[in-house]
Amino acid sequence: MSLTPRRIISPIIAALVFSTPFVSYAQRMAVEAEHGMVVSVHELAAQVGADVLQRGGNAVDAAVATGFALGVVYPWAGPLGGGGFMMIHLADGRDIAIDYRERAPAAASRDMYLGPDGNVLKGPGSSTFGWRASGVPGDVAGWALALEKYGSHKLSWAELIEPARRLAADGHHITQFTASRFRSQAEKLGAFADSKKIFLNGGALWRTGDLWRQPELAATLARLQQNGPREFYEGETARLIADAMARNGGTLTLADLKNYTAVERVPVRMTYRGYEIVTMPPPSSSGIALLQMFAMIEPFDVAALGPNSAAKYHLFIEAMRRAYRDRAEYLGDPDFVKVPVAGLMDRNYIAGLMKNFDPAKATPSAGLAPGGPAGWEPPKVASVPSGGFAESTETTHFSIVDAEGNAVANTFTLNGGFGSGVTIPGTGVLMNNEMDDFTSKPGTPNQFRLIQGEANAIAPGKHPLSSMAPTFVFKDGKIFLVTGAPGGSTIINAVFQVITNVIDFNLPVSLAVDTPRIHHQWMPDVVNYDPYGLSKDTMDALRAKGHQFEERNFFGGQLVPVIERYPNDTMTIMVDPATHLRLGAADSRKPDSKAVGY
Ligand code: GLY
């Protein structure tokens, strides 16, 4: 399989371009299909999913095949060593949330990432880098659970893994973006022998167009085909992971792998201007924060404010600030802490959060109290300094709708760039650094500069709090939008803005996805924005209200090449209510992304 270079202009297209009046589009058009659609960050993975749909598989079957394929072609975010969330909508009306988030190993403890001085550790041994940074991976268990309960059973587990195995064994041609991702993380990957061998070509670096084979990963996939999903948790693969961890001072054991289970959760839902939004419950913070923001802006005539006005951005920033304030205080793994879901989603409570909203002035984040929902005990959150960080996020989202109207919104992750940096010898499996999504120290920011509270403290077996937001929007009870994004703490705001772009501003789905976005997360009290996304006079008007802007990409650090400056791409499908066409919008922020339908 090879990726067709997008930039090659065929003679036919060239003839059209030069013989007709030139029309310039700022973004790609949505891809239309009558039956099924897969939108993913990598063309080859989208094609694998679309092939499954065409062979009679349903959206869940296609999701499993797409997920495994991303593990091969999008290794910094999608390998088997991570975890995530899958939202499933069945054509019979049921909505299901599968939680396959990583869990903390049994040896994990609340202060495991604090040094003798009480400060959060950096480098080897920390929550971001090396052998101690990984939670127990959930991908394989989550996809197996989804398939067993909601797959069509027309295609077997082994058949759905086969395209990924072939991509790993036969290889695929490295894109410019992939080569740049490997290069940009060379220091981290170079610290681990197998990562250096696989992702850095032994140190020589891969170049655009190189044929890249991953024989160890192909062998792992073949074992999974042969032995089933428990291979990852109890078989040869599990033994290789546990042995490597033991040799290198890691925390994860064979017992941790054996004990891992994915779980089904009840999605959270709320209406917004007549549409129903159905999204991920805890241990993701996304659903509650997202629905709070929609409830906060619903009393305002957002459409009348205009899509790019300072008034709209001011309202959105203030809603974001308040939702992220509550996020920091109240959200954690519901298996371990009592998350006051009903209280947080109560419309009167949410209206109360906006009582101090001033259309003329920013509310300073310092001193902004959380709302105090019903069902919560007084929290213990320390002071809230802001701080720097250097990593990019490595999460990926894909959206699928099949011919019957089943849909999947799936977001999964390794957390930071190439996760912990560790590839387990002999497996080709790159491991996550999801332990950093816990609160290492209350009040001290994590790699996304999120300040987190006691509710998200580390405990054995616990899921770290997430921002991943696989989301459905329904119109008149029918699936209308399937969406989600990567981008750590920015995910919630990206999904929020895509949906308001469609509902409030009636934007075509491709423009709703591609149009510039902003981000505010309570702390640090700054607005991040897509470069060139805000006009100077809009920014001046917002500054006059008291907002501050950050001239950096969403993830801090110094400016990075343009190709890496837009991390929170959203992969979205709209089902046109009139024609029922599936309109796939792959975000142009990610150059290899693609919508493939039939
Ligand atoms: N690791 C990013 C998230 O789960 O939000």
Side-chain angles (χ1 to χ4, degrees):
M1 284 177 137
S2 74
L3 188 70
T4 314
R6 185 170 286 134
R7 289 184 189 81
I8 292 178
I9 301 177
S10 77
I12 297 168
I13 294 172
L16 284 172
V17 166
F18 297 119
S19 64
T20 55
F22 183 70
V23 180
S24 168
Y25 291 95
Q27 76 293 320
R28 291 173 284 179
M29 288 176 69
V31 174
E32 289 182 1
E34 276 182 47
H35 307 287
M37 175 68 67
V38 182
V39 187
S40 166
V41 76
H42 200 291
E43 178 174 355
L44 293 177
Q47 188 64 58
V48 163
D51 288 347
V52 168
L53 294 181
Q54 268 190 295
R55 288 168 63 199
N58 70 7
V60 175
D61 301 336
V64 171
T66 303
F68 275 111
L70 281 165
V72 179
V73 299
Y74 204 72
W76 51 93
L80 307 182
F85 301 124
M86 184 186 291
M87 290 284 301
I88 301 171
H89 169 69
L90 298 175
D92 65 13
R94 282 178 290 163
D95 297 307
I96 297 113
I98 306 249
D99 167 4
Y100 60 96
R101 182 79 163 154
E102 296 91 335
R103 289 172 184 267
S109 58
R110 189 182 184 283
D111 296 333
M112 66 185 283
Y113 298 117
L114 300 186
D117 58 359
N119 290 327
V120 177
L121 291 170
K122 307 259 180 256
S126 71
S127 60
T128 55
F129 181 77
W131 296 89
R132 293 177 78 236
S134 299
V136 187
D139 291 338
V140 175
W143 298 339
L145 174 65
L147 195 63
E148 186 193 326
K149 290 196 72 175
Y150 304 108
S152 73
H153 300 284
K154 289 181 187 157
L155 295 158
S156 68
W157 169 255
E159 283 175 301
L160 294 171
I161 295 176
E162 180 58 13
R165 193 203 60 77
R166 264 192 284 120
L167 280 166
D170 301 345
H172 75 284
H173 293 283
I174 285 186
T175 66
Q176 182 186 338
F177 183 64
T178 299
S180 90
R181 294 302 296 123
F182 290 165
R183 243 189 347 262
S184 72
Q185 295 290 322
E187 197 181 331
K188 180 184 211 173
L189 294 167
F192 303 96
D194 277 62
S195 299
K196 183 174 176 181
K197 179 179 74 180
I198 295 169
F199 303 110
L200 303 179
N201 194 14
L205 296 183
W206 294 107
R207 289 186 172 69
T208 307
D210 283 350
L211 183 68
W212 182 46
R213 294 193 175 91
Q214 300 171 76
E216 292 97 340
L217 183 56
T220 298
L221 290 167
R223 284 196 303 277
L224 283 169
Q225 286 178 300
Q226 207 171 1
N227 305 331
R230 293 312 295 170
E231 160 65 29
F232 192 87
Y233 298 97
E234 296 177 54
E236 172 70 359
T237 309
R239 193 189 58 73
L240 288 165
I241 295 172
D243 286 356
M245 284 278 165
R247 278 198 310 276
N248 292 284
T251 36
L252 209 154
T253 65
L254 200 55
D256 288 323
L257 289 161
K258 206 168 169 181
N259 291 335
Y260 184 88
T261 48
V263 284
E264 264 188 63
R265 306 217 181 253
V266 180
V268 287
R269 53 181 74 225
M270 197 183 264
T271 57
Y272 176 67
R273 302 193 201 282
Y275 294 79
E276 187 171 35
I277 299 169
V278 180
T279 181
M280 195 67 209
S284 184
S285 62
S286 63
I288 289 174
L290 198 55
L291 298 179
Q292 281 192 335
M293 292 196 295
F294 281 115
M296 281 188 239
I297 66 166
E298 193 166 22
F300 298 85
D301 188 351
V302 171
L305 297 179
N308 296 318
S309 68
K312 183 206 92 166
Y313 285 121
H314 177 62
L315 175 66
F316 281 20
I317 293 163
E318 293 305 318
M320 291 169 182
R321 186 196 309 280
R322 287 161 174 79
Y324 277 78
R325 179 68 189 95
D326 268 14
R327 178 199 190 281
E329 200 80 13
Y330 303 121
L331 294 177
D333 183 352
D335 297 343
F336 284 72
V337 291
K338 191 167 167 266
V339 180
V341 177
L344 287 165
M345 287 184 30
D346 179 85
R347 282 193 184 259
N348 289 329
Y349 167 76
I350 297 169
L353 296 177
M354 285 296 267
K355 276 230 168 81
N356 59 354
F357 170 72
D358 181 342
K361 269 209 321 250
T363 306
S365 287
L368 178 68
W376 178 249
E377 288 151 27
K380 315 172 209 146
V381 174
S383 61
V384 286
S386 72
F389 58 95
E391 298 223 18
S392 70
T393 181
E394 300 300 353
T395 299
T396 187
H397 175 86
F398 59 81
S399 294
I400 301 178
V401 176
D402 69 18
E404 279 72 47
N406 305 301
V408 166
N410 186 91
T411 316
F412 67 126
T413 188
L414 286 183
N415 199 22
F418 292 87
S420 64
V422 168
T423 301
I424 302 295
T427 66
V429 173
L430 186 58
M431 296 296 288
N432 69 82
N433 61 358
E434 218 69 56
M435 292 299 284
D436 190 60
D437 270 346
F438 280 117
T439 311
S440 287
K441 183 177 177 181
T444 298
N446 74 353
Q447 68 170 302
F448 305 116
R449 293 190 291 181
L450 283 169
I451 305 288
Q452 315 207 68
E454 289 290 342
N456 188 31
I458 303 172
K462 190 174 175 182
H463 300 91
L465 187 62
S466 172
S467 299
M468 292 188 285
T471 298
F472 299 133
V473 179
F474 295 89
K475 185 175 167 55
D476 302 325
K478 297 266 172 1
I479 189 81
F480 175 56
L481 287 178
V482 182
T483 190
S489 56
T490 71
I491 293 172
I492 303 166
N493 289 333
V495 170
F496 173 66
Q497 287 167 89
V498 168
I499 294 173
T500 60
N501 283 342
V502 173
I503 295 180
D504 291 309
F505 301 114
N506 208 18
L507 292 188
V509 65
S510 55
L511 189 53
V513 159
D514 279 342
T515 205
R517 296 191 269 271
I518 57 146
H519 173 71
H520 191 289
Q521 60 178 47
W522 170 58
M523 286 288 186
D525 192 352
V526 291
V527 181
N528 294 113
Y529 59 103
D530 272 324
Y532 319 114
L534 290 178
S535 67
K536 183 178 177 309
D537 46 8
T538 306
M539 290 174 73
D540 286 345
L542 288 165
R543 281 194 188 99
K545 291 179 193 289
H547 297 290
Q548 293 181 58
F549 291 87
E550 195 172 45
E551 274 291 335
R552 299 192 293 185
N553 71 22
F554 284 159
F555 300 101
Q558 68 278 65
L559 288 176
V560 291
V562 166
I563 198 166
E564 293 181 21
R565 290 186 73 185
Y566 306 100
N568 67 351
D569 48 280
T570 68
M571 301 295 148
T572 303
I573 300 173
M574 176 190 282
V575 180
D576 185 318
T579 63
H580 307 295
L581 284 172
R582 284 79 168 107
L583 309 177
D587 201 314
S588 61
R589 288 170 178 81
K590 283 286 158 66
D592 300 334
S593 65
K594 189 86 172 174
V596 182
Y598 78 102

